[in-house]
Amino acid sequence: GSQIKTIHLLNKTPIEWFSKRQNAVETATYGSEFVAARTAVDQIIELRHTLRYLGIPIATVGDSSASYMFGDNLSVVNSSI
């Protein structure tokens, strides 16, 4: 089985990590990588909401404080553009 592993950085400082065996069985690497990317995006959205609730100013879409996600599968990266 495949595993999802993510690490979240805030101002270049690791603040959260996540590792889990994928429940979904995918027939291709692209599918597994896409599920992992979607999981990471969900975590980023949740983290941004939590930071806002704690009173930390987080800019909205179009501002300079965008979130970035890095991946090692070019097909998945290109499909997100």
Side-chain angles (χ1 to χ4, degrees), residues 8-79:
H8 299 266
L9 307 173
L10 184 62
N11 293 329
K12 300 180 184 178
T13 303
I15 61 166
E16 182 179 50
W17 66 273
F18 177 81
S19 178
K20 179 182 177 185
R21 182 173 297 275
Q22 283 190 4
N23 293 330
V25 176
E26 298 291 337
T27 57
T29 302
Y30 175 83
S32 296
E33 294 281 342
F34 193 83
V35 169
R38 182 62 201 167
T39 300
V41 168
D42 289 342
Q43 291 172 345
I44 290 167
I45 291 168
E46 181 181 330
L47 179 59
R48 289 176 66 93
H49 281 101
T50 300
L51 292 170
R52 280 192 199 104
Y53 287 135
L54 293 172
I56 299 169
I58 303 293
T60 57
V61 176
D63 292 329
S64 62
S65 70
S67 296
Y68 296 95
M69 185 180 72
F70 300 96
D72 63 356
N73 186 303
L74 190 57
S75 296
V76 174
V77 172
N78 287 340
S79 69

